[in-house]
């Protein structure tokens, strides 16, 4: 005999299910929903990796544009403070871009700056690869300091600031600023047999400018020769990008960049042949002659008078 099936049987089952659900604590239900939501939000590693890379690049770009930037040293003009050479793996330095928003450049600072017009007027732009993909990588690398920058930037050391007069050299082959010989322990010489700096005439640094030289003094075209030298070789403060702080790569070169002030322990000049003395020193012989002239004249008259008397007596 077939057992009759109640018409409400199907309805009873949901009722029991609902009652069972009602018996479960509310917090338990919310916990299950939270877990399901979290499970839906989780992404695979390979999906999140590109996002992380993009975020890191954006942050690095913002940091380098406004706070500090990494530059590659392209030449040996700052040896041995900074290492670099064409085609080699030069030092990569972190340049502080905000320091000169609050202070002025001082002697001894190693600075990165955009080449002033007299420096770059006769220079061609750096050649880029004909391959579009390679050019793209070069541009990205220059933004993040992984390749030499496209713009014509330079790195040198500040020697003199606005209003100071700089020239070379004294009898001991030292650069002179305002009549005092500089203390430059960072100088580098390519050859032991050639430790003589090229002389140059006095240059008074214009307002809002600095006079810069390379540490590798005989292998650096700087304020002495760029733009023909003189005032045209000086660098406007507005062109300075920032101050070199740290060598970040390669690891074997990690360390700070020296900012020894060469004027702090400067010494009185030992005047070399052909180097004019300060104007006040040039006046010393004239003053001495004027002071001594009268006694010499008076003494000469007395001697002449005595000689005449002796001559008269003998007659």
């Amino acid at each position: 005999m077939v057992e009759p099936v109640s018409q409400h049987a199907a309805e009873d089952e949901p009722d029991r299910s609902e009652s069972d659900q009602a018996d479960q604590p509310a917090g338990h239900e919310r916990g299950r929903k939270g877990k399901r939501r979290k499970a839906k939000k989780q992404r695979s590693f390979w999906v999140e990796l590109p996002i992380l890379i993009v975020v890191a690049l954006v942050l690095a770009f913002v940091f380098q544009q406004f706070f500090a930037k990494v530059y590659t040293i392209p030449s040996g003009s700052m040896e041995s403070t900074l290492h670099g050479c064409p085609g080699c793996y030069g030092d990569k330095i972190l340049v502080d871009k905000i320091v000169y928003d609050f202070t002025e450049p001082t002697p001894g600072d190693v600075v990165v700056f955009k080449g002033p017009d007299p420096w770059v007027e006769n220079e061609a732009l750096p050649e880029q690869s004909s391959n579009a993909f390679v050019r793209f990588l070069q541009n990205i690398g220059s933004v993040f300091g992984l390749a030499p920058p496209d713009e014509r930037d330079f790195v040198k050391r500040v020697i003199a600031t606005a209003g100071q007069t700089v020239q070379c050299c004294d009898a001991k082959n030292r650069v002179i600023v305002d009549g005092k010989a500089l203390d430059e322990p960072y100088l580098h010489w390519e050859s032991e047999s050639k430790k003589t700096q090229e002389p140059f005439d006095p240059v008074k640094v214009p307002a809002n400018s600095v006079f810069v030289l390379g540490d590798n003094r005989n292998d650096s075209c700087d304020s002495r020769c760029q733009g023909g030298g003189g005032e045209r070789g000086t660098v406007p403060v507005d062109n300075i990008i920032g101050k070199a702080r740290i060598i970040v790569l390669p690891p074997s070169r990690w360390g700070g960049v020296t900012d020894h002030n060469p004027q702090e322990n400067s010494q009185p000049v030992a005047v070399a042949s052909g180097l004019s003395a300060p104007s006040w020193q040039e006046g010393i012989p004239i003053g001495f002659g004027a002071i001594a002239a009268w006694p010499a004249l008076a003494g000469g008259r007395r001697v002449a008078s005595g000689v005449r008397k002796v001559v008269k007596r003998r007659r």
Side-chain angles (χ1 to χ4, degrees):
M1 186 174 193
V2 179
E3 185 74 21
V5 179
S6 170
Q7 295 179 357
H8 301 287
E11 297 176 1
D12 292 342
E13 186 62 25
D15 290 343
R16 287 195 299 271
S17 176
E18 289 175 3
S19 64
D20 291 342
Q21 291 179 3
D23 292 340
Q24 295 289 339
H28 177 74
E29 182 64 23
R30 286 195 298 270
R32 291 176 60 185
K33 290 181 180 179
K35 289 180 180 179
R36 286 198 297 270
R37 288 174 185 166
K38 288 181 180 179
K40 290 180 181 178
K41 289 181 179 179
Q42 288 180 350
R43 301 186 183 92
S44 70
F45 171 77
W46 298 111
V47 173
E48 291 186 346
L49 181 60
I51 297 175
L52 293 174
I53 292 175
V54 170
V55 171
L57 290 176
V58 169
L59 292 176
F61 176 79
V62 171
F63 181 78
Q64 294 204 79
Q65 287 298 310
F66 299 102
F67 300 100
K69 186 173 182 179
V70 176
Y71 279 84
T72 297
I73 303 302
S75 71
S77 68
M78 284 296 292
E79 294 280 5
S80 55
T81 302
L82 300 175
H83 174 65
C85 56
C88 75
Y89 191 88
D91 287 346
K92 301 189 185 305
I93 57 173
L94 185 67
V95 176
D96 182 348
K97 299 180 70 173
I98 63 174
V99 60
Y100 296 132
D101 291 336
F102 306 98
T103 61
E104 294 294 324
T106 57
D109 289 356
V110 176
V111 296
V112 172
F113 56 93
K114 292 186 179 297
D117 291 340
W119 286 48
V120 299
E121 59 188 1
N122 296 322
E123 289 192 14
L125 288 171
E127 294 184 3
Q128 287 191 321
S129 172
S130 58
N131 186 299
F133 181 70
V134 173
R135 286 200 307 271
F136 172 77
L137 293 179
Q138 287 176 337
N139 292 333
I140 294 296
S142 66
V143 170
F144 295 98
L146 302 177
D150 290 335
E151 61 267 27
R152 288 161 288 184
D153 297 339
F154 298 83
V155 56
K156 305 291 179 186
R157 189 182 298 274
V158 176
I159 297 299
T161 56
Q164 294 187 313
T165 299
V166 55
Q167 65 187 111
C168 186
C169 298
D170 73 345
K172 295 183 179 180
N173 193 41
R174 297 175 296 183
V175 173
I176 303 165
V177 173
D178 288 345
K180 292 186 177 182
L182 300 184
D183 171 39
E184 299 189 276
Y186 44 72
L187 286 184
H188 176 80
W189 308 102
E190 292 286 348
S191 172
E192 289 294 324
S193 61
K194 188 181 179 182
K195 290 187 175 182
T196 303
Q197 303 186 63
E198 292 294 330
F200 58 89
D201 294 331
V203 178
K204 186 172 183 178
V205 184
N208 301 315
S209 300
V210 293
F211 190 95
V212 297
L213 295 175
D215 289 358
N216 191 357
R217 201 53 55 84
N218 288 332
D219 191 19
S220 172
C221 189
D222 35 48
S223 289
R224 299 170 297 177
C225 61
Q226 292 284 3
E231 289 189 5
R232 284 173 55 84
T234 60
V235 178
V237 172
D238 290 343
N239 281 49
I240 297 178
I241 297 170
K243 179 179 179 178
R245 293 287 192 184
I246 304 170
I247 300 174
V248 294
L249 286 174
S252 60
R253 296 271 297 166
W254 280 348
V257 178
T258 173
D259 57 358
H260 174 83
N261 186 343
Q263 296 186 23
E264 189 173 355
N265 296 316
S266 56
Q267 300 175 0
V269 172
V271 181
S273 58
L275 183 64
S276 60
S279 57
W280 67 269
Q281 292 183 12
E282 293 176 353
I284 290 178
I286 298 175
F288 178 78
I291 294 172
W294 175 252
L297 181 61
R301 288 176 178 175
R302 290 179 181 176
V303 171
S305 176
V307 170
R308 284 196 296 270
K309 290 180 180 179
V310 170
V311 171
K312 287 181 180 179
R313 288 174 183 172
R314 289 182 177 179
R315 288 178 181 177

Coordinates of all heavy atoms in Angstrom, one line a residue, residues 200-204 206 211 223-234:
F200 N 94.9 80.4 -14.8 CA 93.9 81.3 -15.4 C 93.8 82.6 -14.7 O 94.1 82.7 -13.6 CB 92.5 80.5 -15.4 CG 92.0 80.2 -14.1 CD1 91.2 81.0 -13.4 CD2 92.3 78.9 -13.5 CE1 90.7 80.7 -12.1 CE2 91.8 78.6 -12.3 CZ 91.0 79.4 -11.6
D201 N 93.4 83.6 -15.5 CA 93.3 85.0 -15.0 C 92.2 85.1 -13.9 O 91.3 84.3 -13.9 CB 93.0 85.9 -16.1 CG 94.2 86.0 -17.1 OD1 95.3 85.7 -16.7 OD2 93.9 86.2 -18.3
P202 N 92.3 86.2 -13.1 CA 91.3 86.4 -12.1 C 89.9 86.5 -12.6 O 89.7 87.2 -13.7 CB 91.7 87.7 -11.4 CG 93.2 87.8 -11.7 CD 93.4 87.2 -13.0
V203 N 88.9 85.9 -12.0 CA 87.5 86.0 -12.4 C 86.7 86.3 -11.1 O 86.8 85.7 -10.1 CB 87.0 84.6 -12.9 CG1 85.5 84.7 -13.3 CG2 87.8 84.2 -14.1
K204 N 85.9 87.4 -11.2 CA 85.0 87.8 -10.2 C 83.7 87.1 -10.4 O 83.1 87.4 -11.5 CB 84.9 89.3 -10.0 CG 84.0 89.7 -8.8 CD 84.1 91.2 -8.6 CE 83.3 91.6 -7.3 NZ 83.3 93.0 -7.1
P206 N 80.0 86.5 -10.7 CA 78.8 87.4 -10.8 C 77.8 87.0 -9.7 O 77.8 86.0 -9.1 CB 78.2 87.2 -12.2 CG 79.3 86.5 -13.0 CD 80.1 85.7 -12.0
F211 N 81.4 79.5 -9.1 CA 82.5 79.0 -9.9 C 82.8 77.6 -9.6 O 83.0 77.3 -8.4 CB 83.8 79.9 -9.7 CG 84.9 79.7 -10.6 CD1 85.1 80.5 -11.7 CD2 85.9 78.7 -10.4 CE1 86.1 80.4 -12.6 CE2 86.9 78.6 -11.2 CZ 87.1 79.4 -12.4
S223 N 84.5 75.6 -15.2 CA 84.4 77.1 -15.3 C 85.6 77.7 -15.9 O 85.6 78.9 -16.4 CB 84.1 77.7 -13.9 OG 82.8 77.4 -13.4
R224 N 86.8 77.0 -16.0 CA 88.0 77.6 -16.6 C 87.9 77.6 -18.1 O 88.5 78.5 -18.7 CB 89.2 76.7 -16.2 CG 89.5 76.7 -14.7 CD 90.5 75.6 -14.4 NE 90.0 74.3 -14.7 CZ 90.8 73.2 -14.6 NH1 92.0 73.3 -14.2 NH2 90.3 72.0 -14.9
C225 N 87.2 76.6 -18.7 CA 87.2 76.6 -20.1 C 85.8 76.6 -20.8 O 85.7 77.0 -21.9 CB 87.9 75.3 -20.6 SG 87.2 73.8 -20.0
Q226 N 84.8 76.2 -20.1 CA 83.4 76.2 -20.6 C 83.0 77.6 -21.0 O 83.2 78.5 -20.2 CB 82.4 75.5 -19.7 CG 82.6 74.1 -19.4 CD 82.1 73.2 -20.6 OE1 81.7 73.7 -21.6 NE2 82.2 71.9 -20.5
G227 N 82.4 77.8 -22.1 CA 81.9 79.1 -22.5 C 83.1 80.1 -22.8 O 82.8 81.3 -22.9
G228 N 84.3 79.5 -22.9 CA 85.5 80.4 -23.1 C 86.1 80.9 -21.8 O 87.0 81.7 -21.8
G229 N 85.5 80.4 -20.6 CA 86.1 80.8 -19.3 C 85.6 82.2 -18.9 O 84.7 82.7 -19.5
G230 N 86.2 82.7 -17.9 CA 85.8 84.0 -17.4 C 84.4 83.9 -16.8 O 84.0 82.9 -16.3
E231 N 83.7 85.0 -16.8 CA 82.3 85.1 -16.3 C 81.4 84.1 -17.0 O 80.4 83.6 -16.4 CB 81.8 86.5 -16.3 CG 82.4 87.4 -15.3 CD 81.7 88.8 -15.2 OE1 80.7 88.9 -15.8 OE2 82.2 89.6 -14.4
R232 N 81.6 83.9 -18.3 CA 80.8 83.0 -19.1 C 80.9 81.5 -18.6 O 80.1 80.7 -18.9 CB 81.2 83.0 -20.5 CG 80.6 84.3 -21.2 CD 81.2 84.4 -22.7 NE 80.9 83.2 -23.5 CZ 79.7 83.0 -24.1 NH1 78.8 83.9 -24.0 NH2 79.6 81.9 -24.8
G233 N 82.0 81.2 -17.8 CA 82.2 79.9 -17.4 C 81.5 79.6 -16.0 O 81.4 78.5 -15.6
T234 N 81.0 80.7 -15.4 CA 80.3 80.5 -14.1 C 78.9 79.9 -14.3 O 78.4 79.9 -15.4 CB 80.2 81.8 -13.3 OG1 79.5 82.8 -14.1 CG2 81.6 82.4 -13.0

